[in-house]
């Protein structure tokens, strides 16, 4: 007769495809939400300008849905330390905004000087683009309403979805994968090596080709936050607050104060 243990094992349900995926591919668990976000980001380029707020909601919801689907395979999130995160983020956002102006003033190329990214970055006040192009939503709601829909959705998604999917990819996965690619999940969060610290920071320039030079010290700061607190939630809060403060300041300077240069960060 089969033993009680044998009967219980045979009665156990087979793992689902999602469970097999999560157990066999811990790296894919961490980069899939960002991949989903980036794929949906491409939708923006195929829509009229006044649909950008819809595209932002789509990629924001898609990225969060991927995180929610894979949530059981993610590491513990840790404490947020929200006040400390906000203070750090204010410094990082200021460094990104004013650091770019400083680098421009001393002749550092705005766009990363690689053949993969030819040409020069161009920016324009989004109000002017809406006035020039119009569209379905402009006709329905008015230019001013669509402008603020674009502002609100972009800031919302950048402060939530972007912060979550990028931190899972960069700080939780790549920062450890650069140390031991095949067994990164065995390393504690916040494990430090110079190669990992510098390598991920330099690689960030590919993701931010039009702000490549300021992205490096920004990634220094974000990596340091993981070494400091070893908390996913803290890193997400720092990243989210940074995007929130940066974009609010861009809109204030560009729309309220009329400084057209601010839109280079939009």
């Amino acid at each position: 007769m089969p033993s009680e243990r044998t009967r219980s094992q045979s009665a156990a349900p087979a793992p689902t495809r999602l469970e097999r995926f999560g157990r066999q591919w811990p790296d894919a668990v961490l980069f899939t939400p960002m991949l989903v976000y980036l794929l949906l980001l491409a939708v923006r380029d195929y829509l009229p300008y006044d649909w950008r707020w819809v595209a932002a909601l789509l990629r924001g919801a898609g990225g969060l849905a991927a995180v929610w689907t894979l949530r059981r395979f993610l590491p513990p999130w840790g404490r947020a330390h929200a006040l400390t995160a906000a203070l750090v983020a204010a410094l990082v956002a200021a460094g990104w905004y004013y650091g770019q102006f400083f680098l421009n003033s001393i002749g550092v190329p705005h766009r990363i000087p690689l053949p993969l990214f030819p040409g020069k970055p161009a920016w324009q006040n989004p109000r002017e683009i809406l006035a020039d192009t119009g569209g379905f939503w402009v006709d329905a709601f008015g230019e001013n309403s669509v402008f603020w829909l674009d502002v609100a959705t972009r800031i919302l998604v950048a402060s939530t979805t972007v912060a979550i999917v990028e931190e899972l990819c960069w700080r939780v996965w790549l920062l450890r994968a650069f140390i031991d690619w095949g067994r990164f999940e065995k390393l504690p969060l916040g494990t430090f090596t110079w190669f990992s610290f510098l390598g991920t920071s330099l690689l960030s320039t590919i993701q931010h080709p039009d702000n490549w030079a300021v992205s490096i010290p920004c990634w220094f700061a974000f990596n340091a936050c993981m070494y400091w607190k070893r908390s996913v939630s803290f890193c997400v809060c720092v990243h989210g607050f940074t995007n929130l403060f940066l974009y609010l300041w861009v809109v204030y300077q560009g729309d309220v104060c009329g400084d057209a240069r601010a839109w280079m960060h939009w």
Side-chain angles (χ1 to χ4, degrees), residues 214-226:
V214 291
S215 76
I216 297 173
C218 177
W219 248 237
F220 285 169
F222 286 170
N223 287 348
C225 286
M226 178 58 83

Side-chain angles (χ1 to χ4, degrees), residues 22-40:
R23 293 169 185 171
Q24 295 176 10
W25 302 98
D27 49 356
V29 167
L30 297 172
F31 70 66
T32 292
M34 185 167 173
L35 180 61
V36 170
Y37 175 86
L38 292 175
L39 289 173
L40 292 174

